[in-house]
Amino acid sequence: MKRVLSLAVSAFALAAVPAAAQDVVITNATVATGDGSEPIQNASVVVRGGRVVAAGAGVEAPAGMPVIDGTGTWVTPGMFAAATTLGLWDVGAVGSSNDQAAGGSAFSAALDVTRALNPSSQHIAINRAGGVTRASIFSRPSSTIFGGQGAIVDLGADPDMVVKPRAFQMVALGEFGARIAGSSRTATYAELDNAFREARNYAAGRWDGDDAQLTSADAKALGAVLSGEQSLYLAVERASDIRNALKLKTQYSRLKLVLVGASEGWLVANEIAAAGVPVIADPIDNLPESFEELAATQSNVGRMVKAGVKVAIGGLTNGIEQPRNAPQFAGNFVALGKIPGAAGLSWGQALATITSAPAEIAGFGGRFGVLAPGAAGDVVIWDGDPLELSSAPVRVFIDGVEQPRDNHQTRLRERYRNLDESKLPKAYDW
Amino acid sequence: MRLRAFLICGGALALAACSATTGTAKETKSASSSVSGERADTGVPFPSTYERYPGVPTALVGATIFDGKGGRIENGTVLFTDGEVVGVGDASLPIPAGYTSIDGTGKFVTPGIIDIHSHLGDYPSPSVPAHGDGNEATAPTTPDVWTEHSVWPQDPGFSRALANGGITSLQILPGSANLMGGRAVTLKNVYSRTVQGMKFPGAPYGFKMACGENPKRVYGNRGRKPSTRMGNFAVNRQTWLDAQAYDGKKRDLGKETLKGVLDGEILVHNHCYRADEMALVMDMAKEMGYKVSAFHHAVEAYKIGDLLKANGVCSAIWADWYGFKMESYDGIPENAGLLQQEGACVVIHSDSDKEIQRLNQEAAKALAAGRRMGIEISDATAIGWITLNAAKAMGIDDMTGSLENGKMADVVLWNGNPLSVYSRPEKVWIDGALMYDALDRKRRPVSDFELGQPGEGDVK
């Protein structure tokens, strides 16, 4: 049973303007560092100047530093939501509010989510309250197989959201890519090879606009992919498609590949591991929803991890499959471990799939998704086991700054806590 | 990750999360009656041919029991034989001779989980256009269609719902493209060569209706009525008035269904998100002389818990879906808790081939959100949201939904508390027959479609 916490602060006690980073030590808590290790009892976390200074058992509280008594709580790094769309939409089906894809654009690879992002989005506030502190935001392929350039962001309640712009390019392979490219995987690869050829020529100063399929902006943008400066996220499911995706590295040696989806990844797990390519996997694919996912199983992630693949949970992109529910999906991997024939994860491994692994895939290993010296002060205090369905964050810090946890949903909750309108309509209750 | 789903508006998102309209999309999914107790010899069409599979007299001993009606028994005993529950009690309950005893120490027992809102079979996997059989989106009202005629009994999704979700009964509805989508059918989660072999014997039919965005968008985009919410109501009301005048002299499939609703034999399941719209629908039902059994999705039910309670209408809801369409914008995780606080009927539903595998987890999240705001709800009550309350709203609560003597032995043995993320079904019995056993690889159904495919018989 969870004890009642005295440390939950009122949402209104926190100004909605960016606060300064607080030096703080959290003591007597169960600390899970996010690096794959198991939780540590009676441990402390020290945050100074916006960064983690120490985390673990036997950590001394520096003299004079404000103390949060974490008795009965759990402390984790903030969650990192891999391959999501937070900040790009308000209502999924309201097109005017939705910048996830630019199907009508003349541009594709050059598209850049940076200036479309809205740090004030309700979904950022809602997922932040759920313990999500960092994310990789992608632009969805639509007019071509190239979706555009995604960014690494924080979910802090401040106007400055982008941590790293133009961090990766999203490309659709498999059935989805084929549909865009011309109804066949043959067209996908013709498009991909041609685009890389044009990008190479552009980079070498040999670009010929008259003969080009790409716009010059798109050709220029893909240069960063070919040089390895930008990661190449490949949305792919089928085992054969994964093998072909891995082969791209033989053709274009400097590509930094990341597989996204990979529901049949377990069938080629050894090859993925040997290639050193990480995977952002859908945590809940276990149905043959298409002919490229016939072998989908919940054991996909566990089997890939066992084979040595770095796996993050991701692709939780909307109000149905929400990033704030990542702990639930991670917890399911732990549950799977008890089912004969299934491959699950240890508790520590499961937490890593939503903290350190996605951060490492984003190029921020040691910086985000871990409680380790030098890491950003992204800290979540939970009222119980963070992977358990009954638990929730009680305090959230990003870069050492305590974050507000109120949003449209919490306001509705308070307004409708009772249905009494005897004095005035509900509209006056705010 | 399914980038694809957003393009083709597949899955539960179709009319939900996408604004595109396609004829083949699984539009928001969102059906009617014969008399109950149908048998082949009663003249009812497409009668159920389901018969329970063999079981042995079984005693589940030492587990914590959630009985589905709000009760909890520590170190309990559940007895079933011949497909029926014959004893529920504590450790003092004597076990008759000849019973196979199963040690449930440290484990939990619940009634079979029931999903009141599923599209397994009418939007089956693989989710290809050839399988898009849930929306007869050719007219705003299609009360003449019966979703059982769309259900593919080989949907691999049935097995996932059984093994991971402990689902023993489920209602398959038409989608929500239409104001009146047609008849819904209640199934036993048992594979069969025919849909008749899955039909829950004696279950009343449901009738799927949808208010709000979907019908007005689908038909408005074609320049037809309805194109507005007021159009939705106008078409509905006139259709009810015409049905009231039906004398039955010349058979009319649609009017037979509507008459079944007006006669109270067929239960209305109304897809509806917004509180103000639900209030209008309840008044329309009063005007026309029918009752809404449950509002489905109902993300704003918490705003009118008092009205829903007064009208005796259940809310079949998700734990936390919100924001994918305008009418879902005000969804909050405390919806179930606030409804429970008002004394209104709460059902947790899936509308998803994935969420149906985790209704217990969704109930747990909803329970936690309610408790966090200070509403006292017991674990046993939350289990009722996915068992007895669902059965009530589907009109099968006299047969299943709780562990009580005389009811069907639809039982799940969980390897831990079903409200914990770390728990899974260990064994599932349907009418006393062991249909899933996590400890026996062969006691796991494999649909025709999956034979010879990669991963056949794998844990899924």
Side-chain angles (χ1 to χ4, degrees):
Chain A
M1 290 306 293
K2 283 187 299 225
R3 63 184 64 208
V4 179
L5 294 166
S6 54
L7 52 69
V9 287
S10 155
F12 301 104
L14 295 161
V17 295
Q22 301 150 257
D23 294 349
V24 68
V25 56
I26 305 159
T27 60
N28 304 319
T30 302
V31 173
T33 62
D35 64 0
S37 60
E38 296 304 302
I40 310 157
Q41 309 282 334
N42 298 315
S44 301
V45 178
V46 181
V47 179
R48 181 189 284 142
R51 290 186 175 267
V52 177
V53 175
V59 170
E60 290 290 316
M65 195 179 269
V67 175
I68 295 173
D69 179 7
T71 304
T73 69
W74 290 56
V75 181
T76 67
M79 285 186 284
F80 190 116
T84 186
T85 54
L86 295 171
L88 290 180
W89 59 283
D90 294 298
V91 178
V94 176
S96 56
S97 79
N98 188 332
D99 293 325
Q100 295 177 67
S105 174
F107 303 94
S108 57
L111 299 170
D112 178 352
V113 299
T114 307
R115 283 177 286 184
L117 288 167
N118 173 21
S120 301
S121 159
Q122 282 298 336
H123 309 302
I124 289 182
I126 287 165
N127 284 282
R128 177 173 65 228
V132 182
T133 59
R134 306 275 170 175
S136 50
I137 311 294
F138 73 93
S139 174
R140 200 174 65 247
S142 185
S143 59
T144 77
I145 62 170
F146 298 97
Q149 302 169 93
I152 311 303
V153 303
D154 71 60
L155 274 64
D158 59 69
D160 190 15
M161 182 174 177
V162 176
V163 174
K164 184 183 180 187
R166 297 172 293 283
F168 62 93
Q169 176 72 233
M170 176 67 80
V171 172
L173 300 179
E175 289 183 12
F176 181 67
R179 183 179 296 111
I180 295 172
S183 304
S184 165
R185 287 172 171 82
T186 58
T188 306
Y189 278 97
E191 183 176 329
L192 186 73
D193 289 334
N194 180 71
F196 282 167
R197 187 164 50 245
E198 290 182 16
R200 232 178 222 165
N201 289 341
Y202 186 96
R206 293 195 311 265
W207 189 70
D208 176 4
D210 292 341
D211 187 44
Q213 297 287 319
L214 295 180
T215 68
S216 60
D218 293 326
K220 181 182 177 189
L222 284 175
V225 172
L226 286 172
S227 70
E229 190 185 333
Q230 231 179 58
S231 294
L232 181 62
Y233 284 27
L234 299 170
V236 64
E237 303 288 352
R238 199 169 71 184
S240 66
D241 289 330
I242 293 171
R243 288 193 187 99
N244 284 322
L246 296 176
K247 281 183 196 148
L248 286 171
K249 282 186 77 158
T250 59
Q251 211 175 336
Y252 309 100
S253 59
R254 297 172 73 177
L255 292 182
K256 276 179 60 187
L257 299 182
V258 176
L259 303 180
V260 179
S263 58
E264 292 194 346
W266 66 277
L267 290 170
V268 285
N270 291 336
E271 289 143 84
I272 300 171
V277 172
V279 175
I280 297 171
D282 183 318
I284 49 178
D285 258 5
N286 69 340
L287 285 157
E289 297 226 5
S290 63
F291 280 89
E292 63 182 1
E293 296 175 87
L294 294 178
T297 165
Q298 290 176 91
S299 292
N300 186 39
V301 168
R303 290 170 183 167
M304 288 194 290
V305 167
K306 197 172 175 191
V309 181
K310 183 185 299 299
V311 184
I313 291 175
L316 303 170
T317 55
N318 58 57
I320 295 173
E321 292 171 0
Q322 309 162 42
R324 68 173 168 180
N325 282 335
Q328 175 187 4
F329 300 128
N332 271 274
F333 292 132
V334 180
L336 266 181
K338 301 182 201 167
I339 304 296
L345 296 175
S346 71
W347 194 96
Q349 287 174 322
L351 182 68
T353 65
I354 57 175
T355 53
S356 61
E360 288 164 14
I361 292 169
F364 287 87
R367 293 272 315 280
F368 303 149
V370 286
L371 296 175
D378 298 356
V379 180
V380 181
I381 306 178
W382 305 75
D383 59 7
D385 171 355
L387 303 189
E388 188 52 278
L389 301 163
S390 54
S391 304
V394 289
R395 295 176 84 158
V396 178
F397 299 81
I398 298 178
D399 286 325
V401 179
E402 182 150 18
Q403 299 293 317
R405 290 183 299 111
D406 54 326
N407 53 59
H408 184 65
Q409 293 192 344
T410 62
R411 300 299 305 281
L412 284 165
R413 176 190 74 206
E414 292 311 311
R415 171 171 283 187
Y416 288 97
R417 186 177 274 279
N418 66 66
L419 300 175
D420 180 18
E421 290 188 299
S422 56
K423 291 193 174 69
L424 276 173
K426 278 288 169 196
Y428 294 84
D429 183 0
W430 55 277
Chain B
M1 157 161 81
R2 296 201 162 39
L3 295 177
R4 195 183 63 241
F6 293 92
L7 181 74
I8 60 165
C9 292
L13 311 188
L15 276 188
C18 300
S19 49
T21 55
T22 82
T24 56
K26 285 190 194 182
E27 300 202 336
T28 3
K29 316 217 215 95
S30 283
S32 150
S33 146
S34 79
V35 289
S36 58
E38 55 183 53
R39 291 188 311 278
D41 60 352
T42 57
V44 173
F46 318 102
S48 168
T49 58
Y50 168 81
E51 289 182 15
R52 67 180 172 87
Y53 282 83
V56 297
T58 303
L60 304 182
V61 182
T64 302
I65 300 168
F66 291 126
D67 66 10
K69 52 181 186 162
R72 173 180 181 139
I73 306 168
E74 304 292 341
N75 191 15
T77 306
V78 177
L79 306 174
F80 52 89
T81 185
D82 296 328
E84 279 189 9
V85 176
V86 294
V88 181
D90 59 20
S92 67
L93 189 71
I95 297 164
Y99 273 61
T100 299
S101 205
I102 294 176
D103 182 10
T105 305
K107 299 174 185 175
F108 283 68
V109 177
T110 67
I113 308 302
I114 302 173
D115 190 356
I116 195 173
H117 194 120
S118 174
H119 296 284
L120 291 178
D122 67 4
Y123 282 109
S125 298
S127 180
V128 294
H131 275 166
D133 290 316
N135 275 298
E136 183 56 42
T138 50
T141 61
T142 55
D144 53 329
V145 304
W146 295 23
T147 204
E148 65 205 62
H149 302 145
S150 280
V151 170
W152 184 44
Q154 297 298 335
D155 186 349
F158 290 117
S159 69
R160 314 305 196 262
L162 177 73
N164 300 323
I167 301 289
T168 57
S169 305
L170 63 168
Q171 178 170 245
I172 311 302
L173 300 126
S176 58
N178 300 350
L179 295 164
M180 296 178 172
R183 290 197 192 201
V185 66
T186 294
L187 304 177
K188 285 279 188 176
N189 194 15
V190 173
Y191 275 101
S192 171
R193 291 172 294 152
T194 65
V195 71
Q196 294 93 322
M198 300 179 80
K199 283 177 74 173
F200 190 117
Y205 276 103
F207 183 56
K208 173 67 178 285
M209 294 182 69
C211 70
E213 292 180 23
N214 293 358
K216 79 187 183 91
R217 183 180 69 249
V218 171
Y219 296 98
N221 283 347
R222 300 178 195 173
R224 305 182 48 173
K225 200 174 185 181
S227 69
T228 59
R229 282 182 162 85
M230 62 187 174
N232 284 352
F233 275 85
V235 174
N236 273 330
R237 292 171 73 212
Q238 193 59 55
T239 306
W240 286 119
L241 290 173
D242 294 349
Q244 285 171 352
Y246 177 60
D247 60 10
K249 285 180 182 163
K250 178 174 180 292
R251 283 196 68 186
D252 179 303
L253 291 174
K255 290 201 169 61
E256 285 178 3
T257 290
L258 295 168
K259 203 75 178 158
V261 174
L262 294 170
D263 292 345
E265 292 179 352
I266 299 175
L267 306 178
V268 171
H269 295 275
N270 206 134
H271 157 122
C272 214
Y273 284 77
R274 251 170 43 188
D276 55 316
E277 218 159 3
M278 288 188 262
L280 289 167
V281 168
M282 287 188 281
D283 272 357
M284 173 169 66
K286 283 179 190 139
E287 178 193 28
M288 296 300 167
Y290 69 94
K291 183 179 182 305
V292 177
S293 185
F295 284 116
H296 290 232
H297 313 335
V299 301
E300 289 190 6
Y302 65 95
K303 299 183 182 180
I304 51 163
D306 49 358
L307 273 181
L308 292 161
K309 181 179 192 301
N311 284 277
V313 181
C314 291
S315 302
I317 57 177
W318 299 291
D320 55 17
W321 291 18
Y322 79 101
F324 46 91
K325 62 197 300 198
M326 194 63 225
E327 62 194 1
S328 72
Y329 194 69
D330 279 4
I332 63 172
E334 294 82 3
N335 197 11
L338 286 164
L339 286 164
Q340 187 69 38
Q341 177 177 258
E342 287 297 321
C345 163
V346 179
V347 179
I348 303 291
H349 74 350
S350 82
D351 192 21
S352 156
D353 53 13
K354 300 205 182 75
E355 295 250 331
I356 193 174
Q357 304 177 45
R358 289 186 295 277
L359 278 188
N360 57 308
Q361 296 178 26
E362 299 308 302
K365 284 192 290 180
L367 169 67
R371 283 178 176 166
R372 263 197 298 280
M373 71 176 294
I375 301 167
E376 285 184 23
I377 307 164
S378 70
D379 283 4
T381 297
I383 293 297
W385 296 345
I386 52 175
T387 55
L388 189 59
N389 286 7
K392 279 180 186 162
M394 291 158 69
I396 54 173
D397 55 306
D398 55 341
M399 296 176 273
T400 189
S402 61
L403 297 172
E404 293 180 80
N405 289 358
K407 284 202 174 180
M408 293 165 165
D410 297 340
V411 185
V412 184
L413 177 67
W414 303 81
N415 63 8
N417 188 329
L419 297 170
S420 165
V421 75
Y422 302 121
S423 304
R424 288 288 171 110
E426 181 177 300
K427 291 180 170 64
V428 183
W429 292 267
I430 300 177
D431 288 302
L434 183 62
M435 304 310 283
Y436 170 72
D437 185 350
L439 312 181
D440 175 2
R441 326 188 19 251
K442 298 291 282 186
R443 191 65 66 146
R444 164 190 294 276
V446 174
S447 67
D448 288 0
F449 178 77
E450 297 180 278
L451 285 178
Q453 308 276 20
E456 172 201 341
D458 193 1
V459 291
K460 291 294 192 176

